[in-house]
Amino acid sequence: TPLSHIRNFSIVAHIDHGKSTLADRLIQSTNTVSAREMKEQMLDSMDIERERGITIKAQTVRINYTAENGEEYVLNLIDTPGHVDFAYEVSRSMRAVEGSLLVVDSTQGVEAQTLANVYHAIEADHEIVPVLNKIDLPASDCDRVAEQIEDVIGIDASEAIRVSAKTGQGITETLEAIVHKLPAPKGNPDAPLKAMLVDSWYDSYLGVIVLVRIMDGQLKKNDRIRFMQNGTVHHVDRIGVFRPAMTEIDSLNPGEIGFLTASIKQVRDTRVGDTVTHEKNPTDKALPGFKPSQPVVFCGLFPVDSAEFEDLRDAIEKLALNDASFSYEMETSAALGFGFRCGFLGLLHLEVIRDRIEREYDIELITTAPSVIYHIHMKDGEMMELHNPADMPDLTLVDHLQEPRIKATILVPDDYLGDVLKLCQDRRGIQLDLTYAGSRAMVVYDLPLNEVVFDFYDRLKSVTKGYASFDYQMIGYREDKLVKMSILVNDEPVDALSTMVHRDRAEQRGRAMVEKLKDLIPRHMFKIPIQAAIGGKVIARETLSAMRKDVTAKCYGGDATRKRKLLDKQKAGKKKMRQFGKVDIPQEAFISALKMD
Ligand code: GTP
């Protein structure tokens, strides 16, 4: 295909505005797959993504389209991840294409992730085609939403395409707009090979599959290639395209998007944004701006049943093969035994990995409090990174601590603005901006990441009845009065419950935590003191009183089956408990104790 007949694009949208449905519809209407092969949401390949309705791994599809002018075009769609945690991957993969469809749900309007994602597209110099989706719904209000796109994003929406990805209305117009409004790619076929590594994932048959966009030169089967960032050389054993099934072809040329396999064992050897070239006759200039994504949120993962530690190691190693942005190292906790300290791009990433371990590998986990990376400046001038509150050094050696801060953008209907401001204020936020677009407010806050990682998003959703949307980016480190708070149960410190807190909030947080734990820990035969402490000083205390009677006593002696049932129930409950000294603490306590209402 000549360059003039190729169009490369992505779809940017807020979650649930219909990105996957529209992609399916474009594939279907061009007969890329027969109706029978067409599965709902075929671009979301993993079950967990489908269940949560989010797309995590970028995938791509090549569509052949005969336009109304009779010409044949090749349209390459890249499906980018839709969540804040994966912002870096989104911004990189956008550089592999020339344009974007900006999909906005015409019953909803612009949301925080619409903004975040469209800014990535604007930064990547995309031509942007606005698409108003869900026009089949009675609540659709295209004029209002088009105006909002112009006001809030500042792009012309007068020719926005009105679409129902559900009924198929407006799909031809969308395809025509891709052909006529988006620019063709550029590239020199005679220059040395320069390709961008757009994405990669592990396949159990083929090894790592690498998605590339050819900038210059030509890539062929059996070529020897080099990844310029880590210098590794590989023999290409397959190249091809997605239609959307993998289809092998002979060569990939400038402007094209396709895959290669080269017996690569680990996804972490293939970093998104890296430049691929030939071993011989390489390009002299790598693509600019490469930086691998770094984990920002850390937590401990421990098996509930310590006999499952090796299974957990196995599961984590397998998941890490396929996820370069997930980090792990072994950790031992006095209370929880052997486990792993894991690093994630954000909370959603954490949840996805935790769920996969529990579901795909059937291992019950205790997840410790998520923590961010603190910078500890020692009196001797050294700086150390603290990934785990349990590793906090001797305070007499510490000069000061810094914590990561974020810039959070929240879009919310007027009615809930007060609650949102209060929430941000409660989380030590500093307001940076407040503007209106119609009946919606856009608030921008500078917040400590530490106050956001745990349950900020849940709280935001609940105080706004789900109407607020949220996006954030890291802005750097700042000094504050931070201390480590320990929790003691029956006079024994439970390291997995240690957290870093702001000094002025420590009493309040400590009190809330011990009160929660008092409710979460079942009664024992003895009295259990539960305390929060900073250094050696107790700042909050509750006492769980002793159990009075045998639980089975109320099953009047005779009924053996009832008694058995009750004991079985207790046993099942027990499975989710861990022993700390003489005390059983249920697994849910580790998460619930940290939630702030
Ligand atoms: P993420 O993958 O989470 O980013 O979501 P998405 O943007 O891909 O949204 P998805 O395509 O999963 O659509 C979200 C919901 O809206 C689904 O229940 C769709 O069936 C529905 N939907 C999508 N397009 C339309 C439309 O044009 N009309 C109607 N009525 N519903 C639609």
Side-chain angles (χ1 to χ4, degrees):
T1 318
L3 281 170
S4 63
H5 283 59
I6 298 178
R7 297 292 181 272
N8 297 318
F9 68 105
S10 62
I11 304 179
V12 296
H14 187 74
I15 283 178
D16 277 349
H17 281 199
K19 187 174 79 172
S20 310
T21 312
L22 179 66
D24 288 354
R25 203 40 91 164
L26 295 174
I27 293 168
Q28 197 183 31
S29 70
T30 50
N31 296 320
T32 303
V33 228
S34 72
R36 208 150 30 89
E37 287 172 297
M38 187 71 197
K39 270 196 308 178
E40 279 293 309
Q41 310 268 314
M42 61 188 317
L43 290 179
D44 294 55
S45 55
M46 289 194 296
D47 278 354
I48 188 156
E49 291 181 14
R50 197 169 311 164
E51 268 170 43
R52 287 166 174 259
I54 48 165
T55 313
I56 293 157
K57 265 289 159 205
Q59 288 187 23
T60 187
V61 57
R62 175 193 281 223
I63 299 168
N64 291 316
Y65 174 60
T66 310
E68 286 174 346
N69 62 11
E71 308 268 320
E72 288 254 4
Y73 291 86
V74 168
L75 314 179
N76 290 304
L77 163 63
I78 289 190
D79 187 19
T80 54
H83 191 275
V84 288
D85 288 357
F86 304 94
Y88 174 72
E89 291 190 16
V90 178
S91 79
R92 284 313 301 190
S93 51
M94 294 251 179
R95 294 190 186 270
V97 297
E98 287 77 23
S100 286
L101 301 182
L102 168 66
V103 175
V104 182
D105 182 338
S106 63
T107 69
Q108 302 284 326
V110 172
E111 296 288 353
Q113 284 150 37
T114 315
L115 281 175
N117 289 325
V118 80
Y119 288 150
H120 289 308
I122 292 169
E123 262 173 49
D125 276 334
H126 281 190
E127 193 59 47
I128 295 167
V129 173
V131 173
L132 306 174
N133 190 30
K134 307 200 186 179
I135 55 165
D136 58 294
L137 293 174
S140 166
D141 186 348
C142 289
D143 294 336
R144 182 184 66 85
V145 174
E147 197 182 302
Q148 205 192 16
I149 291 174
E150 299 196 340
D151 288 351
V152 181
I153 304 173
I155 59 174
D156 180 9
S158 57
E159 293 181 42
I161 307 168
R162 300 176 179 209
V163 169
S164 167
K166 189 174 173 189
T167 66
Q169 196 181 342
I171 294 299
T172 307
E173 289 85 337
T174 306
L175 289 162
E176 288 294 310
I178 292 168
V179 165
H180 296 295
K181 296 205 167 149
L182 303 186
K186 295 195 184 79
N188 178 358
D190 302 319
L193 176 68
K194 185 193 280 185
M196 183 200 282
L197 200 161
V198 183
D199 194 12
S200 62
W201 59 94
Y202 187 77
D203 179 283
S204 43
Y205 297 105
L206 302 174
V208 175
I209 297 172
V210 181
L211 182 68
V212 290
R213 152 72 198 265
I214 311 294
M215 300 298 180
D216 291 319
Q218 190 183 50
L219 178 66
K220 291 213 285 284
K221 198 170 160 167
N222 294 323
D223 283 352
R224 288 184 65 82
I225 52 161
R226 183 189 297 278
F227 293 137
M228 292 179 81
Q229 283 301 326
N230 56 13
T232 53
V233 172
H234 301 273
H235 174 95
V236 176
D237 32 55
R238 244 182 231 93
I239 58 174
V241 294
F242 296 93
R243 291 180 193 276
M246 290 174 82
T247 312
E248 285 194 48
I249 58 170
D250 297 330
S251 66
L252 282 170
N253 296 293
E256 295 192 313
I257 294 173
F259 69 85
L260 68 87
T261 65
S263 309
I264 302 165
K265 303 241 154 28
Q266 300 191 49
V267 165
R268 53 186 64 237
D269 296 335
T270 56
R271 287 304 184 94
V272 172
D274 199 351
T275 308
V276 184
T277 192
H278 281 133
E279 183 189 22
K280 297 213 172 92
N281 189 23
T283 176
D284 54 1
K285 258 218 197 103
L287 296 158
F290 174 83
K291 68 171 180 17
S293 44
Q294 296 292 343
V296 294
V297 178
F298 289 78
C299 78
L301 298 180
F302 294 85
V304 171
D305 176 356
S306 53
E308 289 186 327
F309 173 73
E310 286 303 329
D311 297 337
L312 177 60
R313 182 206 296 277
D314 197 47
I316 283 180
E317 281 173 357
K318 284 214 183 88
L319 289 172
L321 282 180
N322 201 13
D323 187 345
S325 42
F326 160 57
S327 74
Y328 65 96
E329 59 184 42
M330 221 183 101
E331 177 180 12
T332 42
S333 150
L336 297 171
F338 292 109
F340 293 90
R341 189 85 191 156
C342 300
F344 306 92
L345 295 177
L347 264 203
L348 175 93
H349 189 208
L350 186 164
E351 273 182 49
V352 167
I353 299 257
R354 190 188 59 204
D355 278 19
R356 292 189 63 187
I357 294 172
E358 294 202 325
R359 281 204 279 179
E360 290 171 27
Y361 298 89
D362 200 23
I363 301 170
E364 265 192 275
L365 291 175
I366 292 174
T367 315
T368 65
S371 168
V372 299
I373 303 175
Y374 293 92
H375 285 174
I376 305 185
H377 293 266
M378 310 296 282
K379 289 203 169 119
D380 64 9
E382 291 275 312
M383 191 278 276
M384 64 172 264
E385 285 190 350
L386 182 74
H387 291 203
N388 185 347
D391 300 333
M392 183 74 191
D394 183 351
L395 281 180
T396 59
L397 303 174
V398 174
D399 186 63
H400 67 278
L401 267 76
Q402 290 180 319
E403 65 179 341
R405 309 273 308 195
I406 59 163
K407 185 174 136 190
T409 304
I410 299 166
L411 271 85
V412 62
D414 261 1
D415 299 354
Y416 303 106
L417 181 62
D419 299 308
V420 170
L421 297 182
K422 178 169 183 309
L423 176 65
C424 291
Q425 230 52 57
D426 285 349
R427 300 295 172 97
R428 298 193 283 130
I430 300 165
Q431 198 184 100
L432 300 178
D433 198 13
L434 172 58
T435 48
Y436 288 88
S439 62
R440 290 171 76 78
M442 180 168 105
V443 265
V444 182
Y445 260 89
D446 171 338
L447 282 157
L449 178 61
N450 152 35
E451 301 281 347
V452 172
V453 288
F454 199 66
D455 62 347
F456 181 83
Y457 195 47
D458 289 347
R459 297 290 305 153
L460 182 68
K461 285 275 169 197
S462 97
V463 301
T464 63
K465 307 222 165 29
Y467 284 112
S469 61
F470 166 72
D471 193 81
Y472 71 84
Q473 70 198 79
M474 299 277 288
I475 49 176
Y477 275 78
R478 195 172 321 140
E479 180 178 349
D480 217 323
K481 289 185 291 178
L482 302 157
V483 291
K484 172 183 159 186
M485 182 169 77
S486 316
I487 298 290
L488 295 92
V489 176
N490 205 23
D491 297 321
E492 304 233 13
V494 179
D495 53 0
L497 284 170
S498 315
T499 47
M500 300 296 297
V501 293
H502 192 269
R503 184 63 192 86
D504 296 347
R505 314 238 161 171
E507 274 80 12
Q508 188 196 341
R509 293 284 292 277
R511 222 173 312 120
M513 270 183 80
V514 296
E515 276 169 21
K516 276 252 171 81
L517 284 168
K518 187 184 169 197
D519 290 338
L520 291 162
I521 299 174
R523 288 191 186 189
H524 286 58
M525 302 306 289
F526 45 89
K527 214 164 61 173
I528 302 172
I530 304 170
Q531 297 159 307
I534 295 171
K537 186 168 164 263
V538 173
I539 55 167
R541 178 190 168 109
E542 286 284 334
T543 305
L544 182 62
S545 53
M547 191 156 49
R548 280 203 208 98
K549 284 190 207 120
D550 180 359
V551 273
T552 58
K554 59 175 175 274
C555 310
Y556 19 81
D559 191 342
T561 51
R562 268 191 73 179
K563 196 162 173 172
R564 163 88 32 75
K565 260 193 200 148
L566 196 58
L567 288 172
D568 282 351
K569 215 160 122 197
Q570 272 193 330
K571 226 161 84 192
K574 258 243 165 57
K575 255 178 63 190
K576 296 205 172 191
M577 305 252 200
R578 279 298 288 259
Q579 264 213 317
F580 296 85
K582 294 190 299 184
V583 181
D584 286 328
I585 303 183
Q587 178 196 357
E588 47 151 10
F590 293 92
I591 290 290
S592 305
L594 295 152
K595 291 208 169 148
M596 296 166 270
D597 313 301

